Amino acid sequence: MTETDATKRPLEMPEDFLPYLEKYRIYKLFKDMLQDLIINLPKDHLKHMKVYLGRYLHCSKDPDRVMMLISPELKFDVMRLVKDLIKDIGAFVITRRYVMDRYERHDDYVPGCISPALMSEVTKILTLKEPVPQAGWLMFDHPCTVREARCLLQDGVLPTVTLVLMPPPPTAPPTLDPRTPARSFYDQDFEGLKFAYKSTLKEVYIDPDELGDPDKIATKCFNAIHACASGAQGPAQAAHADGAPGVYRVLLLGAKGSGRRTQANTLAKHFGLVCLHFDELCNEAKERDDDVADKLKKYGLSVQLKAEIVRRRLAKKDCIDNGWVLTGYPVCGIDFERLDTMPTPPNRIIFLNVDWKTCKERVVGRGMDWCTGREAPIGSGPRVLPHPANHERLDAELDYFFSEALAELRAAAGITAVEIDARIPIDKVQIKVQAAVMASPTFNIEYCSQLRNVRGD
């Protein structure tokens, strides 16, 4: 009986499994579980994996981190409401008195002095203490001032939803005294905190006849929390939509001279992606000893060969694990259709729009170091000479792109693509590219209509 060293056998992910594994995040789940096993080194591996999967099942969504702001006009049993809520969402309650109790035990505590920064530090410690991060938390009487809220935000104590319990607004509320009334140390600055947590705000209107029914109030709050977790905010009530995928697969499209390679390199460094350019993939394929290399040498590039080169590279482990950003391919609608039918198609498509004249000026204005063969700005050194560009070939490429290829690519990409004006400075273009990569989906592909208040994945 011979022993086999499994580590020497190359492990490749079957292409047919990739869409299913990525759709349900199974590949990432097993990768994280393996990392957890290596770090913890449990004695009973099977039991540890079972516990990990059970924890993942209950914690696959972000735990609810709820901040409650209650209007001074409402008079009802707040503690009863909080007890009903924690039964439903299973979160831990962090009260102001609990924070003050830990605050007074802190080494930096000065009697008679209240430091919002130190209170924020104590609150953060409480939110990070096990098992609060997995279960979530609920605060209903802390913080009380805008300065305390800003300290919490700066320290990363961020709620997923801020419930504002208030009576329905009257048609024309009279303003008898515009000044803020005096408050005690344990009273909240209602209007100021609403402004501080406006990014996660969710208004819950409590009618006067509902003040005597705590169950109805608790049901409204519970529904509001789950509505925010699903991205169902009302108009102008928070921007909690997160639809960016777990692994970015970005396709940058543009003419030669649009800055696509520069933006791709910067984007890859920022997000840790694999930067791919078709010309480099083609050169690597020619150097291999396989059937694709033989066909390239004999017959040259074809639509099928280009797609096969890209498909093989995108199926490798580094692209599956980290994501990728691709430039130089596709160059027409047929290429795009083949890329879109691959096991791991792009989930972010970005067009860099630059006019014909600017593209040519950029290409002609490039310099080249005659010693290293690398591109460099003209005038940056004595060895840098103007790029030996073939103007007739460049004009033909730009004419083809702007007259035929661009329309085909836009039609193939559809309404999910994002178009960015790349004539502005490079750093500003990169900011827009990063925002487009991280943005939520904005269109319903099935109905061809714009989405509002969506949560992706």
Side-chain angles (χ1 to χ4, degrees):
M1 184 176 181
T2 58
E3 295 182 357
T4 303
D5 186 2
T7 60
K8 293 183 179 180
R9 292 184 295 179
L11 179 62
E12 294 184 359
M13 190 69 63
E15 293 183 3
D16 297 338
F17 299 166
L18 287 177
Y20 183 86
L21 293 176
E22 182 168 333
K23 179 180 179 181
Y24 296 101
R25 304 289 177 89
I26 299 176
Y27 183 75
K28 184 177 185 302
L29 167 63
F30 281 97
K31 182 181 176 182
D32 294 341
M33 185 167 61
L34 178 61
Q35 182 179 359
D36 185 70
L37 285 172
I38 294 174
I39 293 175
N40 293 290
L41 297 176
K43 294 182 179 180
D44 190 340
H45 295 78
L46 293 178
K47 183 178 180 180
H48 187 84
M49 292 167 64
K50 184 178 180 180
V51 172
Y52 182 89
L53 291 175
R55 191 191 313 144
Y56 179 85
L57 179 64
H58 295 91
C59 301
S60 55
K61 72 176 186 69
D62 289 338
D64 295 315
R65 301 187 298 273
V66 185
M67 184 82 68
M68 286 181 59
L69 306 178
I70 304 173
S71 173
E73 301 176 15
L74 298 179
K75 306 295 181 183
F76 63 93
D77 190 355
V78 179
M79 294 304 299
R80 167 77 182 277
L81 171 63
V82 172
K83 290 179 181 178
D84 292 340
L85 279 179
I86 61 177
K87 290 179 183 178
D88 292 329
I89 65 177
F92 285 85
V93 179
I94 299 178
T95 64
R96 190 169 182 82
R97 293 189 181 277
Y98 185 44
V99 173
M100 288 302 301
D101 181 60
R102 297 298 189 276
Y103 173 81
E104 293 174 357
R105 300 179 188 178
H106 199 278
D107 295 337
D108 297 335
Y109 169 66
V110 178
C113 178
I114 302 298
S115 170
L118 187 56
M119 286 186 66
S120 174
E121 181 182 341
V122 172
T123 307
K124 182 177 182 179
I125 294 173
L126 294 176
T127 58
L128 296 179
K129 187 177 181 181
E130 293 291 342
V132 177
Q134 287 77 26
W137 47 261
L138 186 148
M139 298 184 193
F140 67 94
D141 61 350
H142 177 72
C144 288
T145 65
V146 177
R147 187 178 178 189
E148 292 176 3
R150 288 175 177 171
C151 290
L152 288 174
L153 293 173
Q154 291 173 359
D155 285 342
V157 183
L158 307 175
T160 56
V161 56
T162 302
L163 296 183
V164 179
L165 277 62
M166 57 188 296
T171 305
T175 304
L176 301 177
D177 188 356
R179 296 173 294 180
T180 304
R183 296 178 293 103
S184 70
F185 179 71
Y186 288 95
D187 292 334
Q188 290 182 318
D189 182 1
F190 183 69
E191 295 297 332
L193 293 175
K194 279 175 60 177
F195 180 79
Y197 290 104
K198 61 181 179 180
S199 62
T200 56
L201 211 61
K202 180 69 177 177
E203 294 180 347
V204 179
Y205 296 127
I206 308 297
D207 294 323
D209 56 349
E210 295 175 345
L211 295 177
D213 191 352
D215 293 335
K216 189 173 289 186
I217 299 176
T219 301
K220 279 192 171 184
C221 294
F222 179 74
N223 293 337
I225 293 171
H226 279 263
C228 282
S230 302
Q233 290 89 346
Q237 294 183 9
H240 186 61
D242 57 309
V247 177
Y248 298 127
R249 300 191 299 271
V250 186
L251 180 62
L252 283 182
L253 298 173
K256 193 171 184 179
S258 61
R260 55 189 180 179
R261 296 194 70 169
T262 303
Q263 300 297 337
N265 290 330
T266 308
L267 190 69
K269 291 179 181 178
H270 183 80
F271 289 109
L273 307 177
V274 180
C275 188
L276 305 174
H277 188 71
F278 181 74
D279 291 345
E280 297 175 356
L281 298 183
C282 189
N283 293 334
E284 292 175 2
K286 291 179 181 178
E287 299 298 327
R288 294 197 186 99
D289 187 12
D290 55 13
D291 55 339
V292 174
D294 295 338
K295 292 178 181 178
L296 279 174
K297 294 173 184 176
K298 289 182 181 179
Y299 310 110
L301 277 175
S302 64
V303 174
Q304 294 82 0
L305 278 181
K306 289 191 291 185
E308 180 65 18
I309 292 171
V310 174
R311 184 191 63 80
R312 287 189 177 188
R313 184 64 184 90
L314 299 185
K316 289 191 176 181
K317 188 175 184 299
D318 57 344
C319 290
I320 297 174
D321 288 350
N322 306 313
W324 45 264
V325 52
L326 175 64
T327 59
Y329 182 89
V331 295
C332 61
I334 298 177
D335 289 344
F336 193 100
E337 291 175 1
R338 289 184 173 272
L339 177 63
D340 201 34
T341 56
M342 292 182 185
T344 54
N347 50 32
R348 288 293 180 267
I349 304 169
I350 302 173
F351 284 91
L352 299 179
N353 292 331
V354 182
D355 58 272
W356 192 98
K357 182 179 179 181
T358 305
C359 287
K360 184 172 182 180
E361 289 177 354
R362 289 181 178 179
V363 175
V364 174
R366 293 173 183 170
M368 177 175 289
D369 191 323
W370 61 266
C371 184
T372 61
R374 297 180 179 177
E375 291 185 357
I378 295 178
S380 59
R383 301 183 306 188
V384 178
L385 301 176
H387 194 287
N390 188 332
H391 292 275
E392 294 182 359
R393 180 179 177 183
L394 176 61
D395 291 344
E397 289 182 5
L398 293 177
D399 287 337
Y400 170 73
F401 180 83
F402 285 102
S403 61
E404 299 182 24
L406 182 58
E408 292 181 4
L409 291 173
R410 281 176 172 165
I415 57 178
T416 58
V418 177
E419 302 206 9
I420 296 175
D421 185 2
R423 294 173 297 177
I424 59 179
I426 294 177
D427 53 345
K428 293 184 179 180
V429 175
Q430 180 59 209
I431 292 174
K432 291 189 176 183
V433 170
Q434 293 178 13
V437 170
M438 295 184 294
S440 304
T442 56
F443 285 94
N444 187 322
I445 301 176
E446 183 178 357
Y447 297 102
C448 295
S449 60
Q450 190 167 8
L451 294 175
R452 293 182 62 189
N453 305 320
V454 295
R455 181 180 177 90
D457 291 354

